[in-house]
Amino acid sequence: METILEKKNLYMMAFALLLSIGSILVLLKVTGVKEIEMAFHIPLFYLGIIFGLIILTLIVDTLRIRDLLKELGENLPFDYLFKFNLATFFISYITPFGSGALPLIVYLLSKKGVSPNKSLMIFTAKLLFSGIFFGTVPPILLIFFRNQLELGTVLSYFAVLVSIFLMFLLFILIYIILKPRFVIEIVNKISNISFFKKPKLEKYFEKIKEEIILYHKNFNDLFIGPSSYKLFFSQLFYAVAYWLLFYSIAPVLLLAMNIPFNLLAVIGRQLIFYDILAYSFIPSGSGVVEIGFATIFSNILPPSKLGIFVGMWRFFTYYVYLGISAIGFFMAIKNQDAKRMLIK
């Protein structure tokens, strides 16, 4: 890759931070700042729990990468994978739709001798098992626990639409993974476009099709074979554990701020809405997430404390992760030969 971190990414990160901070300030202006001192008097006990949850999410996410790489025949040390994982978090936080994660995964793992095909497996496996979680649990919550979620009419309709959309995305992802012919046909159609019909490009298109077939074989060997159920369920367990730990930050924060809440409503609302709000052209959904969560939680939290809660929640679930992952990013690349190309 030409550069690891381009200036445009830094500009985008700065824009996202300004948008996020601006949104929080607007919320505080609308909801009031009389009780803002709550944010500065959170007991150390709860701060310790929150930071513990953050570190646990990162450990769990690294463990699922380590286990999957082992099944692919790659045995990389946990400390490297932890820094590698932080680096991918950082890039996904500062690029639209997290688009920078896959190129960085391929690049960093290639430095350890891992093929691009296996790197793609790591990337898509994370998407797949998180997709299974988001594509199945929200409908279950809406069918069996709608009253406990206390969504109201408008949010209920929105939740149903979000759930249908997430299930549709899961179906598309599974179809693409299981039907390599479909992807190969797309590659063939692209290669037949007059602009791409050049002799020097033919070998690249053939290589792409070979990689698609190899990926499909690796996926079948890992997850569809007779002894694959252990890996399948362990990867699913890691995905569920990661997201439940992440969504536990909000309840702990509410406890620390002495704000009464319904546990299922707080966890369930995050589970249904967070994924759809966080991924947008603006990295990490800055602006969208803050305003969106204020709307989503507006009917179950006291209005005077809503802005403070959203601001603190965003601090721990975005700014802290961004800071930690930035450290991991620079640690992961400091010994790479592309260090001189760090920023273009």
Side-chain angles (χ1 to χ4, degrees), residues 203-303:
K203 63 178 181 180
Y204 293 109
F205 284 112
E206 290 302 317
K207 180 64 176 177
I208 290 172
K209 288 186 280 187
E210 290 174 5
E211 290 294 327
I212 292 170
I213 294 171
L214 178 60
Y215 174 89
H216 179 66
K217 179 183 181 302
N218 287 337
F219 184 88
N220 286 344
D221 291 343
L222 284 174
F223 298 115
I224 302 181
S227 60
S228 62
Y229 68 94
K230 289 183 179 179
L231 179 64
F232 181 91
F233 284 108
S234 68
Q235 289 292 305
L236 185 59
F237 169 79
Y238 284 135
V240 173
Y242 171 84
W243 287 111
L244 289 182
L245 287 167
F246 181 81
Y247 292 142
S248 296
I249 293 173
V252 173
L253 183 59
L254 288 168
L255 283 172
M257 299 174 74
N258 292 313
I259 300 176
F261 65 95
N262 177 324
L263 179 61
L264 184 58
V266 171
I267 295 288
R269 288 172 188 231
Q270 292 180 90
L271 197 154
I272 294 170
F273 297 111
Y274 179 80
D275 194 53
I276 201 72
L277 292 174
Y279 294 97
S280 68
F281 179 75
I282 304 299
S284 299
S286 293
V288 178
V289 170
E290 290 84 358
I291 301 301
F293 262 60
T295 303
I296 290 165
F297 283 96
S298 61
N299 70 330
I300 60 171
L301 296 181

Side-chain angles (χ1 to χ4, degrees), residues 35-91:
E35 300 185 64
I36 197 170
E37 69 277 0
M38 295 173 61
F40 302 98
H41 293 88
I42 296 178
L44 289 176
F45 171 75
Y46 289 108
L47 286 177
I49 293 177
I50 291 172
F51 277 99
L53 289 170
I54 291 171
I55 297 302
L56 278 175
T57 60
L58 298 172
I59 290 174
V60 167
D61 204 51
T62 304
L63 286 173
R64 66 168 162 174
I65 294 173
R66 183 203 63 181
D67 288 1
L68 190 53
L69 279 171
K70 279 186 177 179
E71 291 295 326
L72 290 167
E74 307 291 344
N75 191 13
L76 300 183
F78 181 86
D79 61 334
Y80 175 79
L81 289 176
F82 189 75
K83 291 182 289 187
F84 154 82
N85 201 29
L86 287 177
T88 61
F89 266 83
F90 178 70
I91 286 295

Side-chain angles (χ1 to χ4, degrees), residues 28-185:
L28 291 173
K29 177 68 175 178
V30 172
T31 60
V33 295
K34 292 182 179 179
E35 300 185 64
I36 197 170
E37 69 277 0
M38 295 173 61
F40 302 98
H41 293 88
I42 296 178
L44 289 176
F45 171 75
Y46 289 108
L47 286 177
I49 293 177
I50 291 172
F51 277 99
L53 289 170
I54 291 171
I55 297 302
L56 278 175
T57 60
L58 298 172
I59 290 174
V60 167
D61 204 51
T62 304
L63 286 173
R64 66 168 162 174
I65 294 173
R66 183 203 63 181
D67 288 1
L68 190 53
L69 279 171
K70 279 186 177 179
E71 291 295 326
L72 290 167
E74 307 291 344
N75 191 13
L76 300 183
F78 181 86
D79 61 334
Y80 175 79
L81 289 176
F82 189 75
K83 291 182 289 187
F84 154 82
N85 201 29
L86 287 177
T88 61
F89 266 83
F90 178 70
I91 286 295
S92 66
Y93 277 140
I94 67 172
T95 53
F97 301 106
S99 57
L102 178 57
L104 185 63
I105 288 173
V106 173
Y107 175 76
L108 290 178
L109 289 182
S110 70
K111 293 299 178 181
K112 295 295 183 179
V114 180
S115 70
N117 203 282
K118 292 180 180 180
S119 299
L120 181 60
M121 180 67 70
I122 299 299
F123 180 78
T124 53
K126 290 182 69 173
L127 282 180
L128 174 62
F129 288 99
S130 289
I132 292 172
F133 178 68
F134 287 114
T136 56
V137 177
I140 292 173
L141 289 174
L142 292 173
I143 292 171
F144 297 105
F145 302 99
R146 179 177 295 191
N147 291 335
Q148 290 90 325
L149 294 176
E150 303 174 3
L151 290 172
T153 303
V154 176
L155 283 179
S156 290
Y157 283 127
F158 184 45
V160 171
L161 290 175
V162 167
S163 297
I164 293 173
F165 179 69
L166 292 174
M167 285 190 292
F168 175 74
L169 290 181
L170 175 61
F171 172 79
I172 294 296
L173 178 61
I174 292 175
Y175 185 82
I176 289 173
I177 290 174
L178 296 181
K179 298 291 183 179
R181 280 285 141 202
F182 172 75
V183 183
I184 290 175
E185 286 176 9

